[in-house]
Structures are given as structure tokens and as C-alpha cells.
Coordinates of all heavy atoms in Angstrom, one line a residue:
M300 N -4.2 -11.5 0.1 CA -3.5 -11.7 -1.1 C -2.2 -10.8 -1.1 O -2.3 -9.7 -0.7 CB -4.4 -11.3 -2.4 CG -3.7 -11.3 -3.7 SD -4.9 -11.0 -5.0 CE -3.7 -10.4 -6.3
S301 N -1.1 -11.3 -1.6 CA 0.1 -10.5 -1.7 C 0.3 -10.2 -3.2 O 0.0 -10.9 -4.1 CB 1.3 -11.4 -1.2 OG 1.5 -12.5 -2.0
T302 N 0.9 -9.0 -3.4 CA 1.2 -8.5 -4.8 C 2.1 -7.4 -4.6 O 2.3 -6.8 -3.5 CB -0.1 -8.1 -5.5 OG1 0.2 -7.8 -6.8 CG2 -0.7 -6.9 -4.9
H303 N 2.9 -7.0 -5.7 CA 3.6 -5.8 -5.8 C 2.9 -4.9 -6.9 O 3.5 -3.9 -7.3 CB 5.0 -6.1 -6.1 CG 5.3 -6.8 -7.3 ND1 5.7 -8.1 -7.3 CD2 5.3 -6.4 -8.6 CE1 5.9 -8.6 -8.6 NE2 5.6 -7.5 -9.4
N304 N 1.8 -5.3 -7.5 CA 1.1 -4.6 -8.5 C 0.1 -3.6 -7.9 O -0.8 -3.9 -7.4 CB 0.4 -5.7 -9.4 CG -0.3 -5.1 -10.6 OD1 -0.9 -4.0 -10.6 ND2 -0.1 -5.7 -11.7
L305 N 0.5 -2.3 -8.1 CA -0.4 -1.2 -7.5 C -1.7 -1.2 -8.0 O -2.7 -1.1 -7.3 CB 0.3 0.1 -7.7 CG 1.7 0.3 -7.0 CD1 2.2 1.7 -7.4 CD2 1.6 0.2 -5.5
A306 N -1.9 -1.3 -9.4 CA -3.2 -1.3 -10.0 C -4.1 -2.5 -9.5 O -5.2 -2.3 -9.3 CB -3.1 -1.3 -11.5
Q307 N -3.5 -3.7 -9.4 CA -4.2 -4.8 -9.0 C -4.7 -4.6 -7.5 O -5.8 -5.0 -7.1 CB -3.3 -6.1 -9.1 CG -4.1 -7.4 -8.7 CD -3.2 -8.5 -9.1 OE1 -2.2 -8.9 -8.4 NE2 -3.6 -9.3 -10.1
A308 N -3.8 -4.1 -6.7 CA -4.2 -3.8 -5.3 C -5.4 -2.9 -5.2 O -6.3 -3.1 -4.3 CB -3.0 -3.2 -4.5
R309 N -5.4 -1.9 -6.1 CA -6.6 -1.0 -6.1 C -7.8 -1.7 -6.6 O -8.9 -1.5 -6.0 CB -6.3 0.2 -7.1 CG -5.3 1.2 -6.6 CD -5.1 2.3 -7.8 NE -4.2 3.3 -7.5 CZ -4.4 4.5 -7.0 NH1 -5.7 4.7 -6.6 NH2 -3.5 5.3 -6.7
R310 N -7.7 -2.6 -7.5 CA -8.9 -3.3 -8.1 C -9.5 -4.3 -7.1 O -10.7 -4.4 -7.0 CB -8.5 -4.0 -9.4 CG -8.3 -3.0 -10.6 CD -8.2 -3.9 -11.9 NE -7.1 -4.8 -11.9 CZ -5.9 -4.6 -12.4 NH1 -5.5 -3.4 -12.9 NH2 -5.0 -5.5 -12.4
L311 N -8.6 -4.9 -6.4 CA -9.1 -6.1 -5.6 C -9.2 -5.8 -4.1 O -9.9 -6.6 -3.4 CB -8.2 -7.3 -5.8 CG -8.1 -7.9 -7.2 CD1 -7.2 -9.0 -7.3 CD2 -9.5 -8.2 -7.8
G312 N -8.5 -4.8 -3.6 CA -8.3 -4.7 -2.2 C -9.4 -3.8 -1.5 O -9.8 -2.8 -2.1
D313 N -9.7 -4.0 -0.3 CA -10.4 -3.1 0.6 C -9.4 -2.4 1.6 O -9.7 -1.3 2.0 CB -11.5 -3.9 1.3 CG -12.5 -4.4 0.5 OD1 -13.1 -3.7 -0.3 OD2 -12.8 -5.7 0.6
E314 N -8.4 -3.1 2.0 CA -7.3 -2.6 2.8 C -6.0 -3.0 2.3 O -5.8 -4.0 1.7 CB -7.5 -2.9 4.3 CG -7.3 -4.4 4.6 CD -7.1 -4.7 6.1 OE1 -7.1 -3.7 6.9 OE2 -6.9 -5.9 6.4
I315 N -5.0 -2.2 2.7 CA -3.6 -2.5 2.3 C -2.8 -2.8 3.6 O -2.9 -2.0 4.5 CB -3.0 -1.4 1.5 CG1 -3.7 -1.0 0.3 CG2 -1.5 -1.6 1.2 CD1 -3.7 -2.1 -0.8
L316 N -2.0 -3.8 3.6 CA -1.0 -4.1 4.6 C 0.3 -3.9 3.8 O 0.7 -4.7 3.0 CB -1.1 -5.5 5.1 CG -2.4 -6.0 5.7 CD1 -2.4 -7.4 6.1 CD2 -2.8 -5.1 6.9
F317 N 1.0 -2.8 4.1 CA 2.3 -2.5 3.4 C 3.4 -3.0 4.1 O 3.7 -2.5 5.3 CB 2.4 -1.0 3.1 CG 3.6 -0.6 2.4 CD1 3.8 -0.9 1.1 CD2 4.6 0.1 3.0 CE1 5.0 -0.6 0.4 CE2 5.7 0.5 2.4 CZ 5.9 0.1 1.0
L318 N 4.3 -3.9 3.5 CA 5.5 -4.4 4.1 C 6.7 -3.7 3.5 O 6.7 -3.5 2.3 CB 5.7 -5.9 3.9 CG 4.7 -6.8 4.6 CD1 5.2 -8.3 4.4 CD2 4.5 -6.5 6.1
H319 N 7.7 -3.4 4.3 CA 9.0 -2.9 3.8 C 10.1 -3.5 4.7 O 10.1 -3.4 5.9 CB 9.0 -1.4 4.0 CG 10.3 -0.8 3.5 ND1 10.8 -0.9 2.3 CD2 11.2 -0.1 4.2 CE1 12.0 -0.3 2.2 NE2 12.2 0.2 3.3
Q320 N 11.0 -4.3 4.0 CA 12.1 -4.9 4.7 C 11.7 -5.7 5.9 O 12.2 -5.7 7.0 CB 13.1 -3.9 5.1 CG 13.8 -3.2 3.8 CD 14.8 -2.2 4.2 OE1 15.0 -1.9 5.3 NE2 15.5 -1.7 3.2
G321 N 10.6 -6.5 5.7 CA 10.1 -7.4 6.8 C 9.2 -6.8 7.9 O 8.8 -7.5 8.8
R322 N 9.0 -5.5 7.8 CA 8.2 -4.8 8.8 C 6.9 -4.4 8.2 O 6.8 -3.9 7.1 CB 9.0 -3.6 9.3 CG 10.3 -3.9 10.0 CD 11.0 -2.7 10.5 NE 11.4 -1.9 9.3 CZ 11.0 -0.7 9.0 NH1 10.0 -0.1 9.7 NH2 11.4 0.0 7.9
L323 N 5.8 -4.4 9.0 CA 4.5 -3.9 8.7 C 4.6 -2.4 9.0 O 4.4 -1.9 10.1 CB 3.4 -4.6 9.5 CG 2.0 -4.1 9.2 CD1 1.6 -4.3 7.7 CD2 1.0 -4.7 10.1
V324 N 4.8 -1.6 7.9 CA 5.0 -0.2 8.0 C 3.7 0.5 8.1 O 3.6 1.6 8.8 CB 5.8 0.3 6.8 CG1 5.9 1.9 6.8 CG2 7.2 -0.3 6.8
E325 N 2.6 0.0 7.4 CA 1.4 0.8 7.3 C 0.2 -0.2 7.0 O 0.4 -1.1 6.3 CB 1.5 1.8 6.2 CG 0.3 2.8 6.1 CD 0.6 4.0 5.2 OE1 1.8 4.2 4.9 OE2 -0.3 4.7 4.9
R326 N -0.9 0.1 7.6 CA -2.1 -0.6 7.4 C -3.2 0.5 7.2 O -3.4 1.3 8.1 CB -2.5 -1.6 8.5 CG -3.7 -2.4 8.2 CD -4.0 -3.4 9.4 NE -5.1 -4.3 9.0 CZ -5.4 -5.3 9.7 NH1 -4.8 -5.6 10.9 NH2 -6.4 -6.2 9.3
A327 N -4.0 0.4 6.1 CA -5.0 1.5 5.8 C -5.9 1.0 4.8 O -5.6 0.1 4.0 CB -4.3 2.8 5.3
P328 N -7.2 1.6 4.8 CA -8.1 1.4 3.7 C -7.5 1.7 2.4 O -6.6 2.6 2.3 CB -9.3 2.3 4.0 CG -9.2 2.6 5.5 CD -7.8 2.6 5.8
V329 N -7.8 1.0 1.3 CA -7.1 1.2 0.0 C -7.1 2.6 -0.5 O -6.1 3.1 -0.9 CB -7.7 0.2 -1.0 CG1 -9.1 0.5 -1.4 CG2 -6.8 0.1 -2.3
D330 N -8.2 3.3 -0.4 CA -8.3 4.7 -1.0 C -7.4 5.6 -0.2 O -6.6 6.4 -0.8 CB -9.7 5.2 -0.9 CG -10.6 4.6 -2.0 OD1 -10.1 4.0 -2.9 OD2 -11.8 4.7 -1.8
R331 N -7.4 5.5 1.1 CA -6.5 6.3 1.9 C -5.1 6.0 1.7 O -4.2 7.0 1.7 CB -6.9 6.3 3.4 CG -6.2 7.3 4.3 CD -6.7 7.2 5.7 NE -6.1 6.1 6.5 CZ -6.7 5.6 7.5 NH1 -7.9 6.0 7.9 NH2 -6.1 4.5 8.1
F332 N -4.7 4.7 1.6 CA -3.3 4.4 1.4 C -2.7 5.1 0.1 O -1.6 5.5 0.2 CB -3.2 2.9 1.3 CG -1.8 2.4 1.0 CD1 -0.9 2.2 2.0 CD2 -1.4 2.1 -0.4 CE1 0.4 1.8 1.7 CE2 -0.1 1.7 -0.6 CZ 0.8 1.5 0.4
F333 N -3.5 5.0 -0.9 CA -3.0 5.6 -2.2 C -3.1 7.1 -2.2 O -2.2 7.7 -2.9 CB -3.7 4.9 -3.4 CG -3.3 3.5 -3.7 CD1 -4.1 2.4 -3.4 CD2 -2.0 3.3 -4.3 CE1 -3.7 1.1 -3.6 CE2 -1.6 2.0 -4.5 CZ -2.5 0.9 -4.2
K334 N -4.1 7.7 -1.6 CA -4.2 9.1 -1.7 C -3.3 9.8 -0.6 O -2.8 10.9 -0.8 CB -5.6 9.5 -1.5 CG -6.5 9.1 -2.7 CD -8.0 9.5 -2.4 CE -8.9 9.1 -3.5 NZ -10.3 9.4 -3.3
Q335 N -3.3 9.2 0.6 CA -2.5 9.8 1.7 C -1.7 8.8 2.5 O -2.0 8.5 3.6 CB -3.6 10.5 2.7 CG -4.4 11.6 2.1 CD -5.3 12.2 3.0 OE1 -6.1 11.5 3.7 NE2 -5.3 13.5 3.3
P336 N -0.7 8.3 1.9 CA 0.2 7.3 2.5 C 0.8 7.9 3.8 O 1.2 9.1 3.8 CB 1.2 6.9 1.5 CG 1.2 8.1 0.6 CD -0.2 8.6 0.5
A337 N 0.8 7.2 4.9 CA 1.2 7.8 6.2 C 2.7 7.6 6.4 O 3.3 8.1 7.4 CB 0.4 7.1 7.3
S338 N 3.4 6.8 5.6 CA 4.8 6.6 5.8 C 5.6 7.0 4.5 O 5.1 7.0 3.4 CB 5.1 5.1 6.0 OG 4.7 4.3 4.9
A339 N 6.8 7.4 4.8 CA 7.7 7.8 3.7 C 8.0 6.6 2.7 O 8.1 6.8 1.5 CB 9.0 8.3 4.2
E340 N 8.1 5.4 3.4 CA 8.3 4.2 2.5 C 7.2 3.9 1.6 O 7.4 3.6 0.4 CB 8.6 3.0 3.4 CG 9.9 3.0 4.2 CD 9.6 3.7 5.6 OE1 8.5 4.3 5.8 OE2 10.4 3.6 6.5
A341 N 5.9 4.0 2.1 CA 4.8 3.8 1.2 C 4.6 4.8 0.2 O 4.3 4.5 -1.0 CB 3.5 3.8 2.1
A342 N 4.9 6.1 0.5 CA 4.8 7.2 -0.5 C 5.9 6.9 -1.6 O 5.6 7.1 -2.8 CB 5.1 8.5 0.1
A343 N 7.1 6.5 -1.2 CA 8.1 6.2 -2.2 C 7.7 5.1 -3.1 O 7.9 5.0 -4.3 CB 9.4 6.0 -1.5
F344 N 7.1 4.0 -2.5 CA 6.7 2.8 -3.3 C 5.7 3.2 -4.3 O 5.7 2.7 -5.4 CB 6.3 1.7 -2.3 CG 5.8 0.5 -3.0 CD1 6.8 -0.4 -3.6 CD2 4.5 0.1 -3.1 CE1 6.4 -1.5 -4.2 CE2 4.1 -1.0 -3.7 CZ 5.0 -1.8 -4.3
I345 N 4.7 3.9 -3.9 CA 3.6 4.3 -4.8 C 4.1 5.1 -5.9 O 3.7 5.0 -7.1 CB 2.5 5.1 -4.0 CG1 1.8 4.2 -3.0 CG2 1.5 5.8 -4.9 CD1 0.9 4.9 -2.0
K346 N 5.1 5.9 -5.7 CA 5.7 6.8 -6.8 C 6.7 6.0 -7.6 O 7.3 6.5 -8.6 CB 6.4 8.0 -6.1 CG 5.5 9.0 -5.5 CD 6.3 10.1 -4.9 CE 5.4 11.1 -4.2 NZ 6.2 12.2 -3.5
G347 N 7.0 4.7 -7.2 CA 8.0 4.0 -8.0 C 9.4 4.3 -7.6 O 10.3 4.0 -8.4

């Protein structure tokens, strides 16, 4: 499923595939993605 809704991703997802400008920047279990994003792009997206 694709979404830009962070809360929905938390509710429904087991893993996150994070895209930025057409690139797969990060792939991680949902809890780790939101608590410890491994990329600057993901961290910025989570913070809005």
C-alpha cells in the first residue's frame, strides 16, 4: 500500500519502503523506521 499518511502507515504497516524523488532511500520495520530513521530524508519527512 502507498500512502503519505504517517499515522496510517503506523497503523497498517509491518515494514516501510520509503521513497524520495523516485529512489528507494530506506526499507525498515515500521517501529525502527519511525524511531530510528537511517536516512536524513526519512528523518526530515517524519518531522514534516
Side-chain angles (χ1 to χ4, degrees):
M300 174 176 159
S301 67
T302 185
H303 58 255
N304 185 314
L305 297 177
Q307 185 172 72
R309 286 177 182 268
R310 289 192 297 269
L311 298 179
D313 295 304
E314 70 164 356
I315 301 295
L316 306 176
F317 178 68
L318 292 190
H319 178 61
Q320 296 181 352
R322 295 177 295 114
L323 180 60
V324 174
E325 189 168 343
R326 181 177 193 174
V329 64
D330 288 343
R331 190 172 77 201
F332 176 82
F333 285 106
K334 291 178 181 177
Q335 296 178 309
S338 64
E340 294 91 344
F344 181 71
I345 291 168
K346 293 178 182 177

